Amino acid sequence: MFVNLVRFPALVEGREAAFVEWFEHSNTVYREFPGFVLRRLLRAADGSYAAVVEHESEATFMAMHTSPERQRMWDEVEPLLEGLPEPAFFDVVDEALPEACTLQARS
């Protein structure tokens, strides 16, 4: 499993609702890509936003990330942001699943 954690910059004043709407819409686009697992928008106590994106592999994530659809989504959100998002990339090493309530090692 490949995970991208993205911290979004401050939003243009008054554009929070548009940003959340964009995120909801972009989910409908991104979920159609092979290898997509999940995508969540998080809001911190200070009002800043981050996202968690999970894909089956780095290859499926990069296929989505370099697609024309992703560029179109970026073109829509860029005017709502005060700067550039800060991504960080991870491979899942271990996880706890609610159904099993046990830790499962990943290779």
Side-chain angles (χ1 to χ4, degrees):
M1 190 77 60
F2 184 76
V3 179
N4 177 20
L5 301 179
V6 181
R7 291 202 56 93
F8 289 100
L11 302 177
V12 171
E13 189 172 336
R15 303 299 295 178
E16 184 172 356
F19 175 74
V20 172
E21 288 173 14
W22 166 83
F23 196 89
E24 292 170 354
H25 169 68
S26 63
N27 276 342
T28 67
V29 172
Y30 294 138
R31 75 170 45 109
E32 297 302 317
F33 280 86
F36 175 88
V37 175
L38 69 81
R39 186 168 177 257
R40 291 187 175 142
L41 182 61
L42 311 173
R43 183 174 36 228
D46 67 3
S48 64
Y49 285 93
V52 177
V53 181
E54 289 189 26
H55 263 258
E56 290 177 2
S57 68
E58 182 177 2
T60 64
F61 173 82
M62 290 308 295
M64 178 277 302
H65 190 70
T66 58
S67 71
E69 293 89 345
R70 186 264 176 203
Q71 183 60 51
R72 191 176 79 243
M73 291 298 96
W74 170 249
D75 292 343
E76 290 179 15
V77 77
E78 186 177 21
L80 307 177
L81 306 175
E82 292 285 347
L84 296 175
E86 296 177 12
F89 303 100
F90 303 87
D91 288 310
V92 174
V93 177
D94 196 45
E95 66 185 5
L97 299 174
E99 314 82 64
C101 295
T102 61
L103 295 177
Q104 297 183 357
R106 295 275 180 140
S107 50

